């Protein structure tokens, strides 16, 4: 959808002539290849490794699905070529709706409610622990009766069945996947009814020491000769269970045998049902940690036989790509590129040919090869959180009336009644002592001026007169804090010498 929108917006449209006739708002096939090839090369989901031939192949899909049409309005065939024929965009483009991002932090997936009994059943069968009445129990019940402590009840959990545990795994796994993908609902990319809870549990717990899924039904295992061929190439040249090849090109024949076997499968390893959920992960590839977690969880949804084959195949592909001792399988194509081209379709493809996008599948498979050890392992954080939740549900808990959640026992401790004298003492020591310490800090503070200190003490006296009266019981004690300086009287001579102002009088010197 993103590429189609960008292509429609960025493709230059102009007037062209063909067979003495002019056509408005159209483009040549070669111009479309140039524009789309540059667009794919700069897109984070594809990259510069996209070839011009792959671009032509994608434009063939566009023509078949009416993303583009020829100048006469014809479409529905993959006869697009890199030439000078004229094409145009139809008035509307067949785009699928995008999965909506969450507008708020609410999660749609709801966990099974194991706290309350099913409708129509009573709680009479729930065993209640008998207790003897003592003073502490009397205080608890009295506190509940007067409303100080909410009423509560002990809930003894029933034993969870294997089906219950599997449903918990399914609901919490899907909830985590929805959160990682940042979707408002998984319904747009996944039919949750098709997710088998047994598959998730088997993929988590039925594993070997190497982390490979072990199958209960041995008939679904890979044939021994395919396992031997894959092991031969993965461990080349040290093939422990096979004789050394005696002719040139042996490794190419083994590789072709593996490709033919996986190519004849009727359904890809990631299955048709999960195609949309895996394609939606492509939007997270620019955030590798998020993409790895999303693929980790998504691969847990696969049938165990598919997950095992995926683990073995991707591990073989990664080892072959990094093996410098293995002779190249092709003279024109690099080994890593050949791995992606040979197995991308058997790993991921859609049920409908019209929706198939081989470029996106190649991008996802390349990311799988680079991070296969982490992606195809069991996510430890998810496993521990679900196991803790199961243990929590199986434990005895205390239920408060009106509370949304339970609190595991032991219950919180209750207060004991005290006498009036003890209450008054606690009130005095609990409130007045800190105030007295604050007053003493103001008194002993030498960094503030006398004027500011008097102002603060006056405010304190107005707010807490009782505390202030204890510190300064009499006016004399307050005056001792600020001893006034004795004023010195001015000498008498200075006052005697000072005369009142007299007007100016002329002297004889001015009469001359």
């Amino acid at each position: 959808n993103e590429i189609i929108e960008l292509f429609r917006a960025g493709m230059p449209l102009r007037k062209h002539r063909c067979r003495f006739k002019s056509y408005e708002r159209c483009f040549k096939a070669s111009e479309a290849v140039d524009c789309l090839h540059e667009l794919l090369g700069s897109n984070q989901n594809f990259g510069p490794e996209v070839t011009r031939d792959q671009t032509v192949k994608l434009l063939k899909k566009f023509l078949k699905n009416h993303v583009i049409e020829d100048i006469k309005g014809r479409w529905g065939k993959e006869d697009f070529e890199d030439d000078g024929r004229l094409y145009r965009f139809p008035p509307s483009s067949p785009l699928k709706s995008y999965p909506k991002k969450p507008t708020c932090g609410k999660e749609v997936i709801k966990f099974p409610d194991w706290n309350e009994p099913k409708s129509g059943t009573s709680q009479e069968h729930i065993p209640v622990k008998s207790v003897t009445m003592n003073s502490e129990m009397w205080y608890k019940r009295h506190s509940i009766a007067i409303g100080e402590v909410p009423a509560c009840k002990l809930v003894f959990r029933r034993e969870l069945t294997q089906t219950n545990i599997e449903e918990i795994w399914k609901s919490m796994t899907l909830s985590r996947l929805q959160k990682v993908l940042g979707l408002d609902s998984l319904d747009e990319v996944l039919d949750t009814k098709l997710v088998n809870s047994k598959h998730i549990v088997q993929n988590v717990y039925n594993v070997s020491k190497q982390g490979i899924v072990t199958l209960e039904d041995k008939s679904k295992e890979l044939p021994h000769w395919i396992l031997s061929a894959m092991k031969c190439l993965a461990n080349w040249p040290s093939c422990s269970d096979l004789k050394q090849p005696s002719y040139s090109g042996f490794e190419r024949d083994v590789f072709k045998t593996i490709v033919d076997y996986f190519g004849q499968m009727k359904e890809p390893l990631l299955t048709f049902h999960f195609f949309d959920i895996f394609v939606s992960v492509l939007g997270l590839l620019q955030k590798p940690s998020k993409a790895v977690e999303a693929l980790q969880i998504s691969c847990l949804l696969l049938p165990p036989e598919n997950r095992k084959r995926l683990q073995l195949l991707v591990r073989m592909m990664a080892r072959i790509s990094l093996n410098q001792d293995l002779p190249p399988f092709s003279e024109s194509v690099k080994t890593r590129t050949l791995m992606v081209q040979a197995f991308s379709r058997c790993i991921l493809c859609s049920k409908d040919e019209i929706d198939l996008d081989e470029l996106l599948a190649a991008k996802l498979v390349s990311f799988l090869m680079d991070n296969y050890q982490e992606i195809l392992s069991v996510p430890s954080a998810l496993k521990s959180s679900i196991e803790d939740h199961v243990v929590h549900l199986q434990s005895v808990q205390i239920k408060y009336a009106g509370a949304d959640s339970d609190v595991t026992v032991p219950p919180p401790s209750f207060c004991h009644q005290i006498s009036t004298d003890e209450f008054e003492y606690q009130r005095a020591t609990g409130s007045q002592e800190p105030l007295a310490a604050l007053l003493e800090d103001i008194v002993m503070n030498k960094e503030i001026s006398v004027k500011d200190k008097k102002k603060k003490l006056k405010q304190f006296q107005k707010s807490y007169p009782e505390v202030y009266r204890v510190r300064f019981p009499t006016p004399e004690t307050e005056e001792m804090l600020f001893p006034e300086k004795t004023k010195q009287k001015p000498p008498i001579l200075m006052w005697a010498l000072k005369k009142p102002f007299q007007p100016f009088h002329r002297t004889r010197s001015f009469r001359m």
Side-chain angles (χ1 to χ4, degrees):
N1 286 345
E2 178 187 2
I3 294 300
I4 291 174
E5 288 184 352
L6 295 175
F7 179 54
R8 286 176 64 93
M11 182 65 214
L13 305 178
R14 57 189 181 87
K15 183 178 179 180
H16 287 83
R17 291 184 60 85
C18 180
R19 296 182 180 180
F20 306 103
K21 189 175 181 180
S22 298
Y23 296 92
E24 300 287 344
R25 298 181 58 78
C26 57
F27 51 87
K28 293 182 179 180
S30 58
E31 296 173 345
V33 176
D34 294 338
C35 178
L36 186 58
H37 185 234
E38 182 180 357
L39 178 62
L40 295 175
S42 60
N43 188 276
Q44 60 187 4
N45 291 326
F46 297 94
E49 65 270 15
V50 177
T51 64
R52 191 175 181 88
D53 292 337
Q54 291 174 325
T55 307
V56 172
K57 202 171 186 180
L58 182 58
L59 283 166
K60 289 178 181 287
K61 303 292 184 182
F62 283 179
L63 179 61
K64 183 176 181 180
N65 294 279
H66 205 197
V67 177
I68 60 176
E69 62 185 17
D70 69 6
I71 205 62
K72 295 183 179 180
R74 293 173 297 189
W75 57 278
K77 296 182 179 180
E78 295 186 352
D79 57 354
F80 184 94
E81 300 295 340
D82 189 359
D83 53 23
R85 283 185 286 183
L86 298 181
Y87 293 88
R88 66 188 181 191
F89 291 115
S92 61
S93 181
L95 290 179
K96 286 186 176 181
S97 59
Y98 285 105
K100 298 179 180 178
K101 294 293 181 180
T103 55
C104 56
K106 296 181 180 179
E107 293 185 359
V108 178
I109 302 297
K110 294 183 179 180
F111 298 162
D113 188 4
W114 308 107
N115 299 330
E116 300 297 336
K118 297 181 179 179
S119 58
T121 60
S122 63
Q123 292 189 353
E124 295 179 357
H125 66 283
I126 300 179
V128 179
K129 185 179 179 181
S130 59
V131 293
T132 57
M133 183 64 68
N134 51 27
S135 59
E136 183 177 1
M137 182 58 67
W138 186 91
Y139 283 124
K140 293 180 181 179
R141 293 194 175 184
H142 175 70
S143 300
I144 294 173
I146 64 177
E148 292 179 355
V149 178
C152 59
K153 63 179 178 180
L154 288 178
V155 180
F156 291 83
R157 299 301 187 193
R158 59 184 173 87
E159 187 71 21
L160 294 180
T161 64
Q162 181 64 23
T163 302
N164 299 148
I165 296 176
E166 290 171 355
E167 287 301 318
I168 293 173
W169 265 95
K170 176 180 176 179
S171 60
M172 294 188 68
T173 300
L174 294 180
S175 177
R176 181 58 188 169
L177 178 60
Q178 175 181 316
K179 185 176 181 180
V180 173
L181 293 177
L183 299 178
D184 191 26
S185 173
L186 288 177
D187 294 338
E188 301 178 13
V189 293
L190 175 66
D191 187 356
T192 56
K193 295 179 181 178
L194 299 177
V195 177
N196 193 325
S197 57
K198 293 181 180 294
H199 292 170
I200 301 176
V201 176
Q202 291 176 10
N203 289 333
V204 171
Y205 293 105
N206 295 2
V207 294
S208 64
K209 294 181 180 180
Q210 292 78 23
I212 305 297
V213 176
T214 57
L215 303 181
E216 297 177 354
D217 187 358
K218 300 303 179 183
S219 63
K220 296 182 179 180
E221 295 277 5
L222 282 172
H224 176 73
W225 55 275
I226 284 293
L227 285 173
S228 299
M230 296 174 67
K231 188 180 297 185
C232 173
L233 295 185
N235 300 321
W236 188 274
S238 57
C239 305
S240 58
D241 59 341
L242 291 176
K243 296 181 180 180
Q244 292 294 330
S246 57
Y247 64 91
S248 177
F250 171 79
E251 67 282 347
R252 294 189 181 186
D253 291 344
V254 174
F255 178 71
K256 186 178 184 301
T257 302
I258 299 172
V259 173
D260 291 341
Y261 175 82
F262 283 97
Q264 52 84 32
M265 294 190 307
K266 296 181 180 180
E267 189 175 16
L269 296 177
L270 299 185
T271 75
F272 293 139
H273 296 314
F274 300 132
F275 175 78
D276 289 333
I277 200 72
F278 281 101
V279 170
S280 63
V281 178
L282 290 170
L284 300 176
L285 292 186
Q286 63 272 22
K287 300 177 181 179
S289 59
K290 284 285 186 182
V292 167
E293 184 179 3
L295 288 174
Q296 265 188 333
I297 301 173
S298 300
C299 290
L300 286 181
L301 311 181
L302 298 173
E305 58 271 17
N306 288 44
R307 180 177 172 87
K308 181 172 184 176
R309 295 187 179 198
L310 182 67
Q311 289 174 319
L312 296 174
L313 178 60
V314 176
R315 185 177 65 173
M316 181 203 72
M317 294 166 60
R319 290 185 177 182
I320 289 176
S321 300
L322 299 175
N323 192 348
Q324 301 293 334
D325 298 329
L326 189 64
F329 297 120
S330 174
E331 297 178 358
S332 58
V333 183
K334 293 182 179 180
T335 302
R336 177 185 172 86
T337 305
L338 183 63
M339 293 295 108
V340 176
Q341 292 177 353
F343 297 108
S344 60
R345 183 173 176 80
C346 70
I347 293 178
L348 179 68
C349 70
S350 65
K351 189 174 184 179
D352 300 324
E353 179 70 20
I354 59 175
D355 292 333
L356 175 61
D357 196 330
E358 297 177 2
L359 297 178
L360 293 178
K363 195 71 175 181
L364 184 65
V365 171
S366 297
F367 190 80
L368 270 173
M369 290 175 58
D370 294 335
N371 305 274
Y372 77 95
Q373 290 182 337
E374 190 174 3
I375 291 175
L376 296 177
S377 62
V378 177
S380 56
L382 178 65
K383 181 181 177 182
S384 60
S385 64
I386 296 178
E387 290 176 344
D388 292 343
H389 183 69
V390 172
V391 172
H392 171 78
L393 291 177
Q394 291 176 330
S395 62
V396 179
Q397 300 176 5
I398 184 169
K399 180 80 173 181
Y400 288 95
D404 294 332
S405 60
D406 294 342
V407 180
T408 56
V409 292
S413 59
F414 290 80
C415 299
H416 296 279
Q417 188 176 5
I418 60 176
S419 63
T420 305
D421 295 338
E422 187 176 358
F423 170 75
E424 292 296 334
Y425 173 76
Q426 291 183 4
R427 184 177 67 86
T429 57
S431 59
Q432 294 187 7
E433 287 185 0
L435 292 175
L438 175 61
L439 177 59
E440 195 65 27
D441 290 339
I442 298 175
V443 171
M444 302 303 295
N445 195 340
K446 298 181 181 180
E447 296 181 359
I448 59 177
S449 62
V450 175
K451 182 179 179 180
D452 292 339
K453 184 177 292 188
K454 287 183 178 180
K455 183 178 180 181
K456 290 181 179 294
L457 290 175
K458 191 173 181 179
Q459 292 175 347
F460 191 96
Q461 183 182 14
K462 184 178 180 180
S463 302
Y464 309 103
E466 296 181 0
V467 180
Y468 190 86
R469 193 179 303 113
V470 174
R471 178 63 174 81
F472 301 106
T474 61
E476 288 76 11
T477 55
E478 186 177 358
E479 292 177 357
M480 291 176 59
L481 185 60
F482 304 105
E484 295 185 2
K485 297 181 181 179
T486 56
K487 296 182 180 180
Q488 297 180 357
K489 296 183 178 181
I492 300 176
L493 292 176
M494 292 183 64
W495 287 94
L497 291 174
K498 188 175 181 181
K499 297 181 180 181
F501 177 77
Q502 296 179 356
F504 177 75
H505 296 284
R506 291 179 178 231
T507 59
R508 285 186 179 182
S509 62
F510 288 95
R511 294 179 181 177
M512 295 176 59

